[in-house]
Amino acid sequence: MVTAVSSATAASTSQTTSTASTAKSTLDYNSFLQLLVAEMSNQDPLNPTDSTEYVAQFATFSGVEQSIQTNSKLDSLMAVSALTQANSLIGRTITSADGATSGVVSAVRAGSTGIEAVLEGGGSVTLESGTEVQ
């Protein structure tokens, strides 16, 4: 049974999803500064906002952006780890989780559905829970 690689496969798939959603939802420093300037220029002159509040907002924004970058790096590291683990399958016989595909592994690759074992006969098997290695 291949379980460690299948969890890494899920991480690799979630990496693609999180990278796509991160690209949609990230706010760069220029956008943040534009929002900050707009907020400062539209504040109530009789009740101005304390400057420490702006510094706190900037620090929070910076922390969130750093967390997003860290998660991206960790996702990449997980994908590399999954490929390294899957590399040990080369030359071994595997059977897909549904039992329909079986063969000797000639290579491994990161496919659109996760880590795949390429069989000598030309087929491929996605490494997931239930995949048997002999």
Side-chain angles (χ1 to χ4, degrees), residues 32-109:
F32 176 77
L33 292 175
Q34 287 175 349
L35 283 171
L36 188 62
V37 167
E39 186 176 342
M40 290 177 79
S41 62
N42 292 317
Q43 68 179 324
D44 182 6
L46 300 176
N47 188 16
T49 306
D50 187 17
S51 63
T52 57
E53 195 173 317
Y54 292 120
V55 172
Q57 287 176 3
F58 185 73
T60 301
F61 172 74
S62 180
V64 168
E65 185 174 44
Q66 188 62 39
S67 295
I68 291 170
Q69 290 175 0
T70 301
N71 286 342
S72 175
K73 299 284 185 192
L74 286 173
D75 287 342
S76 297
L77 185 61
M78 295 273 299
V80 168
S81 176
L83 279 173
T84 302
Q85 288 177 352
N87 192 36
S88 67
L89 296 176
I90 294 176
R92 299 185 71 182
T93 302
I94 66 168
T95 304
S96 63
D98 61 4
T101 309
S102 183
V104 177
V105 179
S106 63
V108 292
R109 67 177 174 217

Side-chain angles (χ1 to χ4, degrees), residues 21-37:
S21 65
T22 300
K24 292 178 190 174
S25 66
T26 56
L27 183 68
D28 62 0
Y29 284 110
N30 290 333
S31 298
F32 176 77
L33 292 175
Q34 287 175 349
L35 283 171
L36 188 62
V37 167

